Amino acid sequence: MQLDLRTPMGLMFSITGAILVAWGLKTNGDAIYAKSLGINANLWWGIVLLIFGLIMFFLGERRQHKLEEEPPPESDGTERRRGHGH
Amino acid sequence: MQLTFVDWLIMLLYFVFVLGIGFALKRYMKTSKDFFQAGRALPAWICGLAFISANLGAQEVIGMGASGAKYGLETCHFYGIGAIPAMVFVGIFMMPFYYGSKARSVPEFLRLRFDEKTRALNACSFAVMTVFSSGISMYAMARLIQALHVFDGLFRALGWAPEGIFTFSIILSAIIVLLYIFLGGLTSAIYNEVLQFFLIIAGFLPLVLLGLKNLGGWHGLSAAVSAVDPRMMHEWRGVLHPSTNPMGIEIIGIGMGLGFVLGSGYWCTDFLVIQTAMASHNMDSARRVPLIAAVPKMIFPFLVILPGLIAIALPTPRTTTTVTQQNGAIIHETNVVPEIAAEGRGIVPAKINPVTGKAMLDASGKPLLDYDMATPNMLLHYFPTGILGLGLTALLASFMSGMAGNVTAFNTVFTYDLYQSYIHKGAPDRHYLAVGRWATVGGILLSICTAYAAISFNNIMDTLQLVFSFVNAPLFATFLLGMFWKRTTGHAAFTGLITGTVAAMLHHGLTLPMEAVPGIHGGWLAVLHRYPSDMAQNFYGAIWAFSSNFIITIIISLFTKPKPESELVGLVRSLTPKPETSHLTWWKRPEALGIAVLLGAVALNIFFA
């Protein structure tokens, strides 16, 4: 499969994280955080998601580049191994 | 519920990515193998996460939270006993036959191993069940959206009638699931299941952390839950007798019924989960898939059961009047809590009779609690706008991926096992690819019908789930005998399956849980035996179904002619060379992983004991 899931997934979590961070900064100290025990849940969890998303994104990108540099078709490896097993 | 544009933005972003992945995968869908089996080219970790995600639908997220609120940590048995051992078993012992036989679906495996009629029986019942299950998922989601008033603000802004919310929710989820499966097939479904897996963690982990912090950590939770019911903080205590644990079951019912029959029946034979493992790129990965899945599965009790426990342990809101004096004036400030919340416990609301508007009471006069609202109410209780959007998205994602798993399982079984086998043989591959796409459309339309039927007939969901349990309970015996005893014959397997289902029905018709009236809960023939709880009835029904299938299959096998051994190579353990794993480093071998997983499961059980 040519599309590494980590790239779009990383992108999605990075954007979500960034949105939460921005929103958390804008609403910092608001009354809405009474619910979350006075913790700015948006800001902190946004940072966590942003870091997770970026790591995923770069892992996916790195693999994509590797595949483009040396294109050994994956299915060949599969067939060889399967033959080995039986 | 107050949703702001940030919440909508996050939800919209998820929908964009879900559909985007579908469109991006469209160009890879060239053959029916790409569409139905993801080209058998996915890495093990992706399939592993999809393996548990396919099961992580509404029943899991909402249901386990509800069960946590109702029974406490005893719910963990569904993980430690009900899932983990079965997942290890399927990975180590059964996957070599599923994957190695080159069967494209579980019913097709049954045809290779047994005969045409066993496959037809399994394919038909499975196809019907997946369509209904996805309809039930759809219905439950639309109901939850109504109950949480997610779209109310949107509807008011657009000037639409609020009665349309149910239909809107159904159509919206149907279109999204349809589009991404139509475009990207099983790959799309698997990718979205993985996405949903991480979304569930992203949405529920902060919830659990906030809840634990609120109650004062694990010890605080323990103390608060013990004040409600001291038995709820223990998974194993009092498990020797049904009267001493909240679920009303005992060790034999749990071990045999839940662990051996129901758990294995689901995780080892249900094509809904097996299809994700069969999509991986080689035999070693396929065997590792359920084992990789077992690792996060062990952590999930913390994410899905704890919210329920926290919800029940929080203080129940009461109508309060605070009197304050300001500049000589006495101010009465009354905080009115609706009856539905005040009659509940913790933040789990009471069930309200829609006709009288009063709380519904059980036989002893205590209000019945609406446990299904435990987890959703936790989201509303702790999450400010922003992260609330993320939590709701996670909830919606879990419903949709539960639907998607059913739909992809349906289109594969329909196309390969029904259409290609009995309706139109020998067409070019392109034709089956098109049929698969249209089967997706048909499956979703039938699901929508089920969802609407569920509105008109109140009991339809319970009845359907009951019928499914009759069909599923005996399955594992057939696979076990088929894979591990070469003498098992097709006639025997077929008769055994039917016997098992009949046994499950008879058992249900003849027994009744305590305090239930004959009818949907059982005893519709006569009441010969009363079980301490419906859970116990369920577990023992499974044991009866399994045992009768097992015995009948053996007896008939001994009187019928088995298949020649040459036809069973790759399908039966004694005639199949053991999967070669010596080229892998020792810790990458499925056996080593399996042992590690089992040790982890034991540790977890001790922790929750």
Side-chain angles (χ1 to χ4, degrees):
Chain A
M1 192 53 58
Q2 295 293 308
L3 176 73
D4 192 311
L5 173 64
R6 283 172 292 188
T7 310
M9 189 167 77
L11 206 58
M12 188 186 104
F13 277 102
S14 309
I15 300 176
T16 310
I19 293 174
L20 284 180
V21 168
W23 179 247
L25 286 174
K26 185 173 169 283
T27 57
N28 201 14
D30 265 22
I32 56 167
Y33 295 113
K35 271 185 168 184
S36 51
L37 318 172
I39 301 167
N40 190 334
N42 289 331
L43 178 64
W44 291 111
W45 199 245
I47 292 174
V48 174
L49 292 187
L50 188 59
I51 294 171
F52 170 76
L54 288 177
I55 292 174
M56 278 285 159
F57 182 75
F58 284 117
L59 285 177
E61 283 292 281
R62 206 182 60 176
R63 175 158 164 79
Q64 211 92 326
H65 281 299
K66 259 191 192 164
L67 280 180
E68 277 160 23
E69 277 166 22
E70 30 158 344
E74 262 182 56
S75 56
D76 282 1
T78 315
E79 292 309 321
R80 199 186 61 234
R81 273 202 188 171
R82 221 184 271 160
H84 195 68
H86 290 276
Chain B
M1 171 163 35
Q2 291 297 316
L3 289 180
T4 57
F5 78 96
V6 192
D7 303 306
W8 292 113
L9 197 63
I10 292 173
M11 227 179 272
L12 199 67
L13 191 72
Y14 168 70
F15 292 146
V16 167
F17 270 89
V18 162
L19 293 180
I21 288 175
F23 277 102
L25 289 172
K26 183 171 179 276
R27 59 199 165 108
Y28 301 116
M29 298 296 125
K30 295 199 179 77
T31 65
S32 70
K33 189 180 174 187
D34 295 329
F35 187 78
F36 295 116
Q37 300 182 280
R40 278 202 164 185
L42 296 181
W45 73 271
I46 294 225
C47 297
L49 296 184
F51 191 89
I52 52 166
S53 247
N55 162 259
L56 201 61
Q59 280 89 342
E60 183 91 356
V61 176
I62 304 284
M64 286 295 146
S67 185
K70 195 173 179 183
Y71 303 117
L73 283 181
E74 211 179 351
T75 308
C76 294
H77 285 314
F78 285 102
Y79 292 79
I81 302 292
I84 307 285
M87 289 163 102
V88 172
F89 186 81
V90 70
I92 294 196
F93 295 108
M94 292 173 76
M95 205 46 81
F97 309 114
Y98 282 136
Y99 197 89
S101 70
K102 302 246 163 61
R104 297 166 299 181
S105 67
V106 167
E108 190 166 71
F109 174 82
L110 287 177
R111 183 184 66 77
L112 295 172
R113 173 62 187 86
F114 297 118
D115 53 14
E116 202 60 72
K117 62 178 177 300
T118 313
R119 184 251 284 266
L121 177 70
N122 185 253
C124 291
S125 57
F126 184 78
V128 171
M129 283 193 287
T130 46
V131 163
F132 282 134
S133 303
S134 111
I136 289 175
S137 213
M138 229 180 221
Y139 169 80
M141 176 171 82
R143 266 294 144 90
L144 187 71
I145 287 176
Q146 274 183 317
L148 293 179
H149 307 287
V150 179
F151 290 133
D152 286 27
L154 184 75
F155 267 60
R156 230 175 292 124
L158 292 169
W160 294 347
E163 291 78 35
I165 291 177
F166 186 87
T167 305
F168 180 76
S169 316
I170 294 231
I171 302 286
L172 185 72
S173 61
I175 289 179
I176 289 171
V177 171
L178 173 66
L179 264 179
Y180 77 69
I181 295 180
F182 194 88
L183 293 166
L186 180 62
T187 316
S188 205
I190 286 181
Y191 274 18
N192 281 305
E193 277 160 1
V194 177
L195 204 61
Q196 175 238 340
F197 170 85
F198 286 106
L199 256 177
I200 295 267
I201 296 180
F204 282 64
L205 188 58
L207 187 66
V208 172
L209 294 178
L210 282 171
L212 280 178
K213 185 171 164 52
N214 192 188
L215 290 171
W218 186 260
H219 286 285
L221 173 72
S222 198
V225 170
S226 298
V228 177
D229 182 347
R231 300 175 306 174
M232 281 174 73
M233 278 311 280
H234 299 284
E235 184 182 357
W236 285 101
R237 198 165 290 179
V239 85
L240 291 178
H241 195 273
S243 63
T244 49
N245 67 79
M247 273 188 193
I249 45 177
E250 35 56 64
I251 188 109
I252 297 173
I254 297 175
M256 264 299 281
L258 175 64
F260 194 65
V261 180
L262 289 174
S264 306
Y266 181 77
W267 293 103
C268 302
T269 71
D270 199 318
F271 185 52
L272 174 69
V273 289
I274 301 293
Q275 65 176 347
T276 61
M278 285 164 86
S280 65
H281 62 92
N282 61 37
M283 172 72 90
D284 299 326
S285 306
R287 294 182 68 199
R288 268 201 300 266
V289 164
L291 303 170
I292 292 174
V295 177
K297 187 78 186 167
M298 282 192 273
I299 303 162
F300 264 81
F302 290 98
L303 282 179
V304 296
I305 297 177
L306 281 193
L309 269 172
I310 296 169
I312 205 86
L314 284 170
T316 312
R318 300 264 179 245
T319 300
T320 49
T321 309
T322 35
V323 185
T324 44
Q325 279 197 329
Q326 271 180 359
N327 308 328
I330 298 170
I331 299 168
H332 286 260
E333 207 176 315
T334 311
N335 182 13
V336 182
V337 172
E339 188 186 341
I340 185 168
E343 289 287 327
R345 174 173 274 167
I347 56 169
V348 181
K351 267 190 182 157
I352 295 290
N353 184 331
V355 182
T356 59
K358 291 273 176 208
M360 285 155 74
L361 304 178
D362 66 5
S364 51
K366 278 183 292 189
L368 286 172
L369 297 183
D370 192 356
Y371 290 106
D372 281 346
M373 289 304 287
T375 301
N377 272 359
M378 280 287 286
L379 289 176
L380 301 185
H381 186 79
Y382 281 117
F383 279 178
T385 176
I387 197 168
L388 179 61
L390 181 68
L392 287 175
T393 308
L395 216 50
L396 293 187
S398 84
F399 279 99
M400 292 207 296
S401 96
M403 269 168 67
N406 276 304
V407 171
T408 53
F410 169 81
N411 68 22
T412 309
V413 168
F414 176 82
T415 308
Y416 283 153
D417 293 300
L418 299 173
Y419 186 82
Q420 191 179 27
S421 308
Y422 306 117
I423 300 172
H424 190 163
K425 268 189 197 139
D429 187 68
R430 208 160 22 89
H431 178 72
Y432 295 118
L433 178 60
V435 169
R437 288 215 155 106
W438 290 106
T440 311
V441 178
I444 288 185
L445 285 178
L446 286 172
S447 307
I448 295 180
C449 297
T450 312
Y452 276 94
I455 314 179
S456 331
F457 306 101
N458 242 335
N459 275 333
I460 197 167
M461 297 203 339
D462 297 338
T463 316
L464 282 176
Q465 262 147 4
L466 191 64
V467 174
F468 297 171
S469 73
F470 295 158
V471 178
N472 283 332
L475 271 178
F476 185 56
T478 303
F479 284 84
L480 207 58
L481 285 170
M483 285 178 177
F484 297 96
W485 191 42
K486 61 184 179 187
R487 190 72 185 70
T488 321
T489 67
H491 292 309
F494 184 79
T495 327
L497 274 178
I498 291 182
T499 316
T501 300
V502 172
M505 277 160 68
L506 280 178
H507 175 270
H508 189 260
L510 294 171
T511 60
L512 198 62
M514 294 288 182
E515 293 178 6
V517 284
I520 183 92
H521 299 292
W524 33 270
L525 291 172
V527 182
L528 295 185
H529 181 73
R530 275 187 182 268
Y531 283 107
S533 65
D534 52 352
M535 205 83 78
Q537 183 195 29
N538 186 10
F539 292 168
Y540 276 95
I543 295 176
W544 277 97
F546 176 91
S547 314
S548 39
N549 181 4
F550 198 79
I551 293 165
I552 292 291
T553 306
I554 290 179
I555 293 175
I556 298 187
S557 288
L558 293 174
F559 289 103
T560 43
K561 195 169 155 288
K563 271 193 170 185
E565 292 196 356
S566 59
E567 288 178 26
L568 294 178
V569 175
L571 301 168
V572 178
R573 187 170 167 83
S574 60
L575 301 172
T576 308
K578 274 206 182 138
E580 185 63 53
T581 52
S582 56
H583 59 281
L584 298 167
T585 27
W586 68 270
W587 55 271
K588 277 187 172 171
R589 290 181 197 159
E591 289 79 6
L593 260 170
I595 290 170
V597 165
L598 286 179
L599 287 178
V602 169
L604 202 72
N605 272 289
I606 293 172
F607 177 74
F608 283 133

